[in-house]
Amino acid sequence: MLRQIFRVVSASFLKKRAEYRRYWFDFTVGLIIKFVFFFGTLYASPIQTGKEAAVKLAGFSLWYLSAHLIAKLGNSAIEEAYLGTAEQVLSTKTLPWQILIGVVVAEVALSFAWVALFFLCAALIIGFSEIVSGALSIVTEIVVFGGVSLIGMTGIGVFILGLSLRLKQVGAVTEVLLYYLLIFSGFFLSSNRLPAAFHILNALSPLSWAVQGMSAGWRAFFPAFGVSLLWLAIGSFVLRQQWNWARKNGKIGSYV
């Protein structure tokens, strides 16, 4: 099992390297846009303490990882179908769920390199010692709530992947979701400034719970863990249902 997953991860790295070489300009522009939002995160409200800066940076980093992960999962089936390689991928000895795990691992690992770059930029802007001291004061919360949040965001990505098997074009839905999470999860704008409706929506957001956990402490752990497991269960259920539908109707290799 681990060997098959490792092969998927290696293949994903090779594919991503080819994409970087072929579409380097598009990727650079996309990265600049992310930096614009990153600077907006830092300056949307005055930063008072190193801990607050660390929460903003960790929240944005989680969003960045989640954005890449959800976009990759949501578009993977369409991409393979468009390239005409869906049947080839599914005819290998690697099981579909192993392919899915390999894609998740590869995408998160690749995105961590850019997260490190964001951290360096933040350190230069805010001050290295201040942001490091703030991060060290909540390092356990960052690791635990970050991991729990990624589980939930993976569930959302799997949910969108399931929808893409039937609806095919889900890019617009993904964009709306990701930018909602960017602006209203609590690290870009303070949750105190959000209307009540957004608090209700954020009760189902793994990223919002992660920010609350890093800011307020461990009382947010069980709600955060529960929401992440809920999304993972919903995503797995929808993916299984739509996978069975696509196989029955011969739509797995179709991109329309």
Side-chain angles (χ1 to χ4, degrees):
M1 181 188 72
L2 291 178
R3 180 180 298 179
Q4 299 295 335
I5 294 175
F6 177 76
R7 288 176 178 174
V8 174
V9 172
S10 299
S12 297
F13 281 143
L14 291 173
K15 184 177 181 180
K16 185 65 70 172
R17 185 179 68 175
E19 290 175 354
Y20 285 161
R21 293 177 62 182
R22 178 65 179 84
Y23 302 106
W24 64 269
F25 182 77
D26 293 341
F27 176 77
T28 302
V29 171
L31 192 61
I32 292 173
I33 293 173
K34 299 296 193 304
F35 268 109
V36 170
F37 282 113
F38 174 60
F39 292 135
T41 302
L42 294 179
Y43 293 112
S45 58
I47 297 174
Q48 304 295 331
T49 64
K51 177 182 176 180
E52 183 181 354
V55 170
K56 284 182 175 289
L57 178 57
F60 182 86
S61 299
L62 279 173
W63 175 82
Y64 185 84
L65 288 172
S66 302
H68 278 256
L69 182 60
I70 290 175
K72 183 64 178 180
L73 288 174
N75 294 321
S76 58
I78 302 298
E79 181 180 299
E80 296 295 342
Y82 183 79
L83 294 173
T85 55
E87 288 84 358
Q88 297 176 19
V89 171
L90 295 174
S91 64
T92 63
K93 295 181 179 179
T94 306
L95 299 175
W97 66 269
Q98 294 174 338
I99 296 174
L100 192 62
I101 293 176
V103 169
V104 170
V105 171
E107 198 63 34
V108 171
L110 286 166
S111 298
F112 264 114
W114 304 114
V115 168
L117 181 60
F118 289 138
F119 183 89
L120 179 60
C121 291
L124 293 174
I125 295 171
I126 300 173
F128 189 80
S129 59
E130 184 176 4
I131 197 170
V132 168
S133 62
L136 289 177
S137 68
I138 56 170
V139 63
T140 305
E141 289 89 339
I142 290 175
V143 172
V144 173
F145 283 101
V148 169
S149 174
L150 281 178
I151 292 173
M153 300 305 284
T154 300
I156 293 176
V158 171
F159 171 76
I160 295 176
L161 172 59
L163 293 181
S164 73
L165 293 174
R166 181 184 289 256
L167 303 177
K168 301 304 179 181
Q169 305 300 327
V170 294
V173 175
T174 303
E175 288 296 314
V176 171
L177 172 64
L178 292 178
Y179 284 104
Y180 171 85
L181 292 173
L182 171 66
I183 303 299
F184 299 114
S185 289
F187 65 89
F188 191 95
L189 295 175
S190 172
S191 60
N192 296 328
R193 302 182 179 183
L194 301 181
F198 289 103
H199 289 284
I200 296 173
L201 291 174
N202 283 345
L204 295 174
S205 168
L207 184 55
S208 177
W209 279 110
V211 174
Q212 291 183 50
M214 288 183 285
S215 302
W218 294 104
R219 64 175 180 269
F221 175 77
F222 287 108
F225 191 65
V227 167
S228 290
L229 288 183
L230 176 64
W231 275 114
L232 194 61
I234 292 174
S236 300
F237 175 79
V238 171
L239 178 58
R240 177 179 289 275
Q241 294 295 317
Q242 299 309 312
W243 170 262
N244 291 334
W245 175 88
R247 290 180 62 189
K248 181 179 179 180
N249 292 276
K251 295 291 187 178
I252 292 180
S254 172
Y255 57 89
V256 292

